[in-house]
Amino acid sequence: MNYYSTNKKAPSVSLREAVLNGLAQDGGLYMPERISQMPSDFFVRLPSLSFQEIAYEVGRVLFAGDLPDSTLDEICRESFDFPVPLKRVDASTHALELFHGPTLAFKDFAARFMARLMGYYVRHDDRELTILVATSGDTGSAAAHGFLNVPGIRVFILYPSGRVSDLQEKQLTTMGGNITALEVQGSFDDCQALAKQAFVDPDLKKKMRMGSANSINIARLFPQTFYYWWAVEQMGKRGQAQILHSQKLSQTPTEPDPIIVSVPSGNVGNLTAGLIAKQMGLPIGRFIAACNENNVIPEYLKTGIFTPKPSRATISNAMDVGNPSNFVRMQELYGHSADAMRHDLSAHSFTDDQTRAAMRDVYNDTGYILDPHGAVGYCALKEYQKQYPETYGIILETAHPAKFKDVVEDTIGSPVDIPKRLAEYMMREKQAVLLPARFGALKEFLISS
Ligand SMILES: *Cc1c(COP(=O)(O)O)cnc(C)c1O
């Protein structure tokens, strides 16, 4: 199957090219030409499948035969070797905890899968693949972890000196192996500009094969569809979704699926993946885009007009996005019709005060600790359930509360335990190469290393 560019001015390419290019030549994002339904026997077997098996089966349909089965199976087993628990929060809410991977955020799912898929594609090449990642913190550590020890690939992480948290810096600079941290004496924008310039520099292009691991790579989108199936299956096991299995078995749905999923959203990659899963037959009644004060998606659903805005800083900072990069993919899925999108999606926006109130209330009422991103998801779910109280909700918990320790502790007034693997980073020795924010310096370093 081929992948087309959302700008429609570059030719369609194979999966391999889409993964290695990242972005299409015309600046568009790659989309699959076809999204197939899961076969009906999959629904029968779903309750007996592990997470890795679900990933493999859904991946087989998504990748449509472009990857050998044994390769896909191996990538799924290696990428998803951590638990994905569904926890009860209250009588009408469960949280799907996506933060049990190595960097304690859901971006591990995408980064680990993409790294291994790229590794597969360059395995038999004689030239190493050089990946540059500019990061303001979290994306870099997920990428660094994802690529660690993948043969045939070396990674350079550019991060702004003095502008990431201590913990983030430790996560970026203590990997070793094929990962090198470059501490740039400048801002995140400088880091991004340096990486962009490197990708188009003729000398570097001649000397090395460069690859991009940016967030719009199609290889990051697909693995994010897997956990939605897992969530539905876990709900079924708890008796919350029996109707749903019997409906699928009889193939004659009589009423809409009562389960809805609230997705804390920024660049809307996670949400887009959920909507793709829905097109594949995922029995979810509706998705909710949960946004902080960066409300471009809620505004679009309200007005039908997409208006990017400068981003605003909030306590759920991984969602501080004013021009969501994956939005164009959502539009492609719904034929650029806001009405069609409204059929599957609602969207709500919340202030930091509302987010904090949700964290406090949920903690006081149930003992469950939400991180600020999951708390926005909770607010959006409750907003929807005010109107549709008979629904049953899943919120995606995208980060471990300990990653936002200060905000969380300050809000709930109780200490948050730091998981062991996070504490271990703080003990390690930082190793970074200090670079001025000049392209010449980066180029010289890349050529000599
Ligand atoms: C990246 C991120 C998000 C937003 O995900 P998108 O796919 O960009 O919408 C939400 N929560 C956390 C913790 C994140 O790191």
Side-chain angles (χ1 to χ4, degrees):
M1 183 178 64
N2 273 343
Y3 292 78
Y4 69 91
S5 162
T6 52
N7 280 353
K8 319 238 161 88
K9 291 194 186 90
S12 293
V13 298
S14 66
L15 175 64
R16 180 183 203 275
E17 283 175 272
V19 170
L20 293 181
N21 293 352
L23 203 65
Q25 272 147 32
D26 60 3
L29 276 56
Y30 288 116
M31 277 294 275
E33 284 182 342
R34 218 175 40 253
I35 295 169
S36 302
Q37 294 264 321
M38 291 304 290
S40 53
D41 68 306
F42 171 74
F43 294 92
V44 183
R45 288 181 293 107
L46 190 55
S48 64
L49 300 180
S50 67
F51 187 95
Q52 289 153 321
E53 288 165 340
I54 291 174
Y56 168 74
E57 294 220 17
V58 175
R60 272 192 82 200
V61 171
L62 271 173
F63 290 111
D66 290 334
L67 281 179
D69 286 351
S70 59
T71 303
L72 179 61
D73 184 50
E74 190 185 318
I75 293 176
C76 289
R77 278 178 203 290
E78 285 181 9
S79 302
F80 311 124
D81 60 351
F82 49 87
V84 190
L86 181 75
K87 299 250 175 88
R88 185 183 186 280
V89 177
D90 62 35
S92 57
T93 314
H94 272 76
L96 184 68
E97 293 185 350
L98 300 174
F99 55 72
H100 295 278
T103 71
L104 305 183
F106 86 101
K107 290 193 172 66
D108 283 328
F109 286 86
R112 291 170 71 78
F113 190 93
M114 173 175 66
R116 281 161 184 77
L117 188 55
M118 282 187 160
Y120 164 71
Y121 281 130
V122 301
R123 199 169 290 175
H124 302 295
D125 291 5
D126 45 2
R127 286 215 289 178
E128 240 182 353
L129 183 67
T130 300
I131 304 256
L132 291 181
V133 188
T135 185
S136 54
D138 283 345
T139 312
S141 58
H145 269 274
F147 282 108
L148 182 65
N149 297 331
V150 174
I153 298 183
R154 55 178 195 160
V155 180
F156 296 91
I157 312 263
L158 297 107
Y159 74 95
S161 182
R163 302 195 199 192
V164 299
S165 73
D166 288 350
L167 178 66
Q168 283 174 327
E169 182 164 45
K170 288 282 182 172
Q171 283 189 303
L172 293 170
T173 59
T174 60
M175 305 294 306
N178 57 335
I179 315 293
T180 305
L182 304 177
E183 181 178 0
V184 175
Q185 292 167 308
S187 65
F188 169 61
D189 291 335
D190 292 328
C191 295
Q192 212 162 20
L194 287 174
K196 275 196 180 150
Q197 206 176 339
F199 283 122
V200 296
D201 185 80
D203 297 333
L204 285 179
K205 268 188 169 168
K206 230 179 286 164
K207 289 225 158 56
M208 57 190 72
R209 202 160 112 194
M210 315 263 287
S212 160
N214 53 26
S215 62
I216 42 71
N217 197 305
I218 190 79
R220 289 179 60 137
L221 198 61
F222 282 177
Q224 298 188 56
T225 61
F226 304 155
Y227 40 73
Y228 290 100
W229 296 93
W230 171 253
V232 163
E233 191 267 321
Q234 294 293 299
M235 292 287 268
K237 287 216 167 114
R238 279 160 214 212
Q240 303 290 1
Q242 251 144 26
I243 339 160
L244 186 148
H245 285 299
S246 56
Q247 264 179 17
K248 284 291 153 184
L249 291 179
S250 66
Q251 298 281 308
T252 49
T254 46
E255 54 182 286
D257 294 304
I259 295 186
I260 51 179
V261 180
S262 177
V263 185
S265 294
N267 273 318
V268 299
N270 210 358
L271 179 62
T272 304
L275 297 171
I276 288 176
K278 190 157 168 44
Q279 294 206 349
M280 298 174 80
L282 180 79
I284 290 290
R286 173 168 282 270
F287 280 87
I288 306 176
C291 299
N292 57 30
E293 285 193 78
N294 295 279
N295 64 351
V296 174
I297 301 291
E299 285 297 309
Y300 171 77
L301 287 186
K302 210 179 289 167
T303 63
I305 300 163
F306 180 65
T307 315
K309 301 176 192 172
S311 65
R312 293 172 66 173
T314 74
I315 55 168
S316 48
N317 56 25
M319 298 168 12
D320 294 349
V321 178
N323 187 4
S325 55
N326 278 291
F327 180 69
V328 61
R329 284 187 165 131
M330 286 171 60
Q331 285 185 301
E332 287 291 310
L333 287 176
Y334 291 97
H336 293 255
S337 156
D339 272 340
M341 203 185 284
R342 286 181 192 119
H343 188 74
D344 285 352
L345 183 68
S346 302
H348 299 288
S349 152
F350 299 90
T351 63
D352 279 354
D353 283 346
Q354 290 172 304
T355 308
R356 283 181 194 270
M359 289 162 71
R360 204 166 8 219
D361 291 349
V362 169
Y363 179 70
N364 289 339
D365 294 350
T366 72
Y368 191 84
I369 301 179
L370 291 163
D371 97 292
H373 304 79
V376 175
Y378 183 87
C379 289
L381 176 67
K382 292 301 147 188
E383 183 70 26
Y384 183 81
Q385 285 179 330
K386 266 188 215 162
Q387 218 178 335
Y388 300 98
E390 76 287 6
T391 54
Y392 205 89
I394 298 172
I395 56 170
L396 301 190
E397 242 305 4
T398 48
H400 194 292
K403 282 200 101 165
F404 301 89
K405 193 174 177 1
D406 294 346
V407 175
V408 175
E409 289 185 342
D410 178 54
T411 304
I412 67 172
S414 286
V416 174
D417 291 337
I418 301 249
K420 218 169 111 213
R421 60 195 187 289
L422 207 54
E424 275 165 9
Y425 283 112
M426 297 312 281
M427 325 264 287
R428 297 201 211 161
E429 190 83 29
K430 165 182 163 181
Q431 283 192 316
V433 176
L434 198 63
L435 274 188
R438 266 193 308 109
F439 181 63
L442 173 65
K443 183 166 166 177
E444 206 173 298
F445 176 79
L446 288 175
I447 288 176
S448 67
S449 52

